[in-house]
Amino acid sequence: MAKPRQNRDSWGSFGDKNVYDWSSEEEEPDGRARPIQVLLVKDDHTFELDEAALNRILLAEEVRDREVVAISVAGAFRKGKSFLMDFMLRYMYNHTTDDWLGDSDEPLTGFSWRGGSERETTGIQIWSEVFLVDKPDGKKVAVLLMDTQGTFDSQSTLRDSATVFALSTMISSMQVYNISQNVQEDDLQHLQLFTEYGRLAMEETFLKPFQSMIFLIRDWSFPYEFSYGQEGGMKFLEKRLKISENQHEELQNVRKHIHSCFTNISCFLLPHPGLKVATNPHFDGRIREIDGEFISNLKLLVPWLLSPRSIDVKEINGSRITCRGLLEYFKAYIKIYQGEELPHPKSMLQATAEANNLAAVAAAKDLYNKKMEEVCGGDRPFLAPVELQARHGVIREESLQVFRGVKKMGGEEFSRRYLLQLEGEIDEVFVQYIKHNDSKNIFHAARTPATLFVVIFVMYVAAGITGFVGVDVIASLCNMVLGLALITLCTWAYIRYSGEYRELGAVIDQVAGALWDQGSTNEAIHKLYSVAASHRHLYHQAFPGAAPAEEAAGERSKKKN
């Protein structure tokens, strides 16, 4: 059974906004149920979860360990979501009677709503009272009602709208997608974007990530094609979501995505509530002022959604969730959206402008690669570095002109960062062409063995001369260097032949380059020491027995000092 209604006649009605100014840090002043803001969207477009309020609602002793049914209404702003939620509240308080709508002269109260063109609800609100309902199998479940901020209002970014819609879809077991007049292609594309944004934040699963999606078409004007209600709605939705072979691939992908996201998809067609509701600024929700046909279909819609037989318990990865578990998922999901792990959704213009500029970058870079290949790529002979630099400058400028010549969306300021990106990528590619060109220089390729041969020859001559004149210490030192150079030469030859120990080969090339390039012996020794110090781990790998001896020598030196 639902919890009994507590003094609902004294709730604030339309225009009585002070009733809803209740902070999560305070207790409810008079024990009355009311909407509680649990997700706040700040002025800097960041999100904050009111954990204290959520704890108080979901961890109440009578509901915390019960399986939860979470029902949410989402859609574009100023389309009557909160207005519908208040009729759902009436049903939850009075669903045991047939006349659950109550007195026809009673103002509609509960979630804050009003007429007009400006938004009313922000973030996500939850009704502070969790309803206990007996399912047909006798199990008692907790029912949670959520109202959400409308999408695409003038104060919210696309990321704000996507986050609120995605989060409400992830948390709810039944998501009501509130649409005005008809299901247009952009409605389906927005649903695809928002659900994909939600699926990114969830753990990967082989099951469909979301449960029930109910398309609620408000102000339906074509009952002669598809009748009001659930039956006409299902026929209409089947036609809208049908996939056919002659459809464009983009349209097929949207429909496939929606079918892959939800376990159950249904639809209800609801007529317009009447001109008094739409045009009277003082309308406060009294049933006598609402069109009779709307009321008749409302009496069918709300029980169809909320009757004990219809409600779906929240499941994640096939496991039923309690109120306590839902609280933890709420916290985990909002942390993901508060961080920078997820890509920011983009408007169609921004996404198109980015694709347009990236295509121009790719075309310019392709031209650069093609012309540089003709200059020094593949089997082209070695080119003097000065000539290569000059040719690079000319081709680089041609490529930049190609980028500038493409008609691009987004404006000059937007395209400037892609121009800078292109310049950086071309310069990176040029470094690779320099290395490729140098590898064709026979003297550059032979620099390492030539250097080692020179060292061997010099040490051989020096050892012979110093041995002849009787300076045996110097002769022994020269012989040791000669042997080391010979071993290094053999090692380098093996590395070049086998392709193994490439990092050690790079060190040998650096040492040989240092000896080749430096102008003085002191500079060569300093360069040699720097290279050796930065690659000590390779020495230890090649000569593992030397590492302990080196450490012991270091310890002895420290003791002496």
Side-chain angles (χ1 to χ4, degrees):
M1 297 290 292
K3 297 182 71 174
R5 174 176 169 181
Q6 300 175 352
N7 301 324
R8 187 165 180 272
D9 291 339
S10 62
W11 293 349
S13 62
F14 168 73
D16 187 4
K17 304 298 179 192
N18 293 330
V19 170
Y20 307 110
D21 292 338
W22 180 70
S23 168
S24 66
E25 302 299 324
E26 305 168 355
E27 290 299 323
E28 296 177 63
D30 48 13
R32 293 175 298 174
R34 63 194 61 240
I36 305 303
Q37 187 94 23
V38 295
L39 181 70
L40 297 87
V41 183
K42 296 183 176 180
D43 292 338
D44 60 353
H45 302 285
T46 57
F47 302 92
E48 180 181 339
L49 187 66
D50 192 336
E51 293 188 21
L54 265 179
N55 288 341
R56 189 158 48 251
I57 295 171
L58 296 177
L59 296 184
E61 187 175 354
E62 63 272 19
V63 301
R64 62 189 174 197
D65 294 317
R66 295 194 182 277
E67 293 175 354
V68 63
V69 177
I71 301 168
S72 169
V73 179
F77 84 114
R78 306 311 302 153
K79 300 299 181 183
K81 294 184 299 299
S82 301
F83 180 71
L84 173 67
M85 290 296 295
D86 288 344
F87 283 113
M88 295 168 72
L89 277 174
R90 281 195 180 182
Y91 178 82
M92 293 308 299
Y93 279 107
N94 304 299
H95 78 275
T96 54
T97 66
D98 292 334
D99 190 23
W100 56 267
L101 277 173
D103 187 358
S104 63
D105 205 37
E106 179 184 3
L108 186 63
T109 57
F111 287 95
S112 176
W113 66 275
R114 62 179 174 83
S117 59
E118 295 299 321
R119 72 177 185 181
E120 180 68 10
T121 306
T122 59
I124 294 179
Q125 295 182 354
I126 292 180
W127 192 248
S128 65
E129 184 174 347
V130 181
F131 301 93
L132 294 178
V133 175
D134 289 319
K135 293 277 285 177
D137 59 4
K139 196 166 192 176
K140 197 180 289 290
V141 297
V143 178
L144 191 71
L145 296 183
M146 292 193 299
D147 191 16
T148 65
Q149 171 181 322
T151 56
F152 306 117
D153 64 71
S154 60
Q155 300 174 50
S156 302
T157 64
L158 181 59
R159 181 173 183 255
D160 296 342
S161 297
T163 299
V164 171
F165 194 109
L167 191 60
S168 67
T169 306
M170 295 157 69
I171 292 297
S172 64
S173 57
M174 301 171 67
Q175 176 74 292
V176 179
Y177 188 16
N178 192 71
I179 301 175
S180 177
Q181 297 184 339
N182 207 336
V183 176
Q184 301 183 143
E185 196 60 31
D186 62 330
D187 295 317
L188 299 180
Q189 289 173 354
H190 292 148
L191 179 60
Q192 180 190 28
L193 169 65
F194 298 156
T195 51
E196 183 61 23
Y197 201 54
R199 188 155 64 173
L200 279 175
M202 303 177 75
E203 294 182 4
E204 193 168 336
T205 174
F206 294 106
L207 302 174
K208 293 184 178 182
F210 312 117
Q211 287 176 258
S212 294
M213 166 60 66
I214 300 100
F215 287 82
L216 178 59
I217 316 302
R218 306 285 290 271
D219 307 340
W220 178 249
S221 303
F222 314 105
Y224 49 87
E225 292 183 350
F226 299 96
S227 60
Y228 297 128
Q230 186 255 344
E231 185 177 346
M234 291 303 293
K235 291 179 181 177
F236 166 75
L237 190 64
E238 183 181 355
K239 183 178 179 181
R240 274 288 182 272
L241 296 184
K242 184 179 180 181
I243 301 173
S244 58
E245 294 182 0
N246 59 348
Q247 273 181 328
H248 190 278
E249 183 181 0
E250 178 184 330
L251 304 179
Q252 291 186 22
N253 289 338
V254 170
R255 285 154 178 78
K256 288 177 182 177
H257 175 90
I258 293 172
H259 281 296
S260 71
C261 281
F262 296 96
T263 306
N264 301 305
I265 302 177
S266 54
C267 182
F268 195 99
L269 304 178
L270 196 62
H272 194 281
L275 287 177
K276 286 185 178 180
V277 175
T279 59
N280 183 3
H282 303 294
F283 173 71
D284 59 3
R286 298 173 196 267
I287 293 175
R288 61 179 174 82
E289 298 180 3
I290 302 176
D291 186 84
E293 194 166 28
F294 178 87
I295 294 298
S296 299
N297 282 277
L298 187 68
K299 287 181 178 179
L300 298 174
L301 167 66
V302 177
W304 177 65
L305 290 173
L306 301 179
S307 68
R309 190 183 303 276
S310 302
I311 54 180
D312 296 328
V313 171
K314 177 63 181 174
E315 294 183 4
I316 295 180
N317 289 335
S319 301
R320 295 193 163 203
I321 305 300
T322 63
C323 287
R324 190 196 300 271
L326 190 69
L327 173 63
E328 296 306 316
Y329 278 107
F330 224 130
K331 293 178 183 178
Y333 290 151
I334 194 60
K335 282 182 181 177
I336 295 173
Y337 287 114
Q338 285 173 333
E340 294 296 327
E341 299 175 24
L342 298 181
H344 289 202
K346 300 177 176 66
S347 68
M348 189 172 294
L349 171 62
Q350 187 178 6
T352 306
E354 285 189 4
N356 181 212
N357 279 271
L358 286 172
V361 168
K365 192 175 173 183
D366 185 59
L367 174 68
Y368 176 82
N369 283 325
K370 184 178 179 181
K371 294 209 168 187
M372 285 298 289
E373 282 292 324
E374 294 175 358
V375 171
C376 64
D379 56 357
R380 302 294 296 174
F382 171 74
L383 187 66
V386 175
E387 178 66 17
L388 180 64
Q389 182 73 41
R391 300 286 290 273
H392 156 74
V394 173
I395 297 173
R396 180 179 187 272
E397 188 57 34
E398 286 182 20
S399 301
L400 296 181
Q401 286 300 329
V402 167
F403 176 83
R404 296 188 185 104
V406 174
K407 291 184 178 180
K408 298 178 290 296
M409 300 178 70
E412 185 178 346
E413 189 66 31
F414 185 82
S415 296
R416 184 171 292 118
R417 61 175 175 171
Y418 290 96
L419 178 61
L420 295 175
Q421 176 185 332
L422 174 62
E423 291 175 344
E425 290 180 1
I426 286 177
D427 291 341
E428 288 177 8
V429 172
F430 178 57
V431 171
Q432 301 304 317
Y433 277 116
I434 290 176
K435 293 180 179 178
H436 180 63
N437 186 61
D438 285 346
S439 68
K440 299 175 183 179
N441 187 342
I442 186 172
F443 295 104
H444 184 276
R447 183 167 60 179
T448 297
T451 302
L452 293 174
F453 271 122
V454 168
V455 170
I456 291 171
F457 178 76
V458 170
M459 290 299 105
Y460 176 76
V461 173
I465 294 173
T466 52
F468 179 76
V469 297
V471 187
D472 294 335
V473 175
I474 301 298
S476 298
L477 182 61
C478 290
N479 283 323
M480 185 179 69
V481 174
L482 184 151
L484 181 61
L486 187 60
I487 292 172
T488 303
L489 178 62
C490 294
T491 303
W492 178 87
Y494 174 77
I495 291 171
R496 282 304 181 98
Y497 173 75
S498 66
E500 299 177 4
Y501 307 110
R502 295 172 61 188
E503 193 172 352
L504 180 59
V507 173
I508 295 174
D509 286 333
Q510 288 185 32
V511 172
L515 295 172
W516 182 282
D517 295 334
Q518 299 305 315
S520 69
T521 304
N522 288 338
E523 289 176 349
I525 293 174
H526 175 72
K527 179 78 172 180
L528 179 62
Y529 174 78
S530 300
V531 171
S534 63
H535 295 86
R536 291 177 62 189
H537 65 284
L538 291 174
Y539 172 76
H540 291 156
Q541 288 178 2
F543 307 102
E550 184 182 341
E551 292 174 2
E555 290 295 326
R556 287 195 298 271
S557 177
K558 288 181 182 177
K559 288 179 181 179
K560 286 182 181 180
N561 291 335

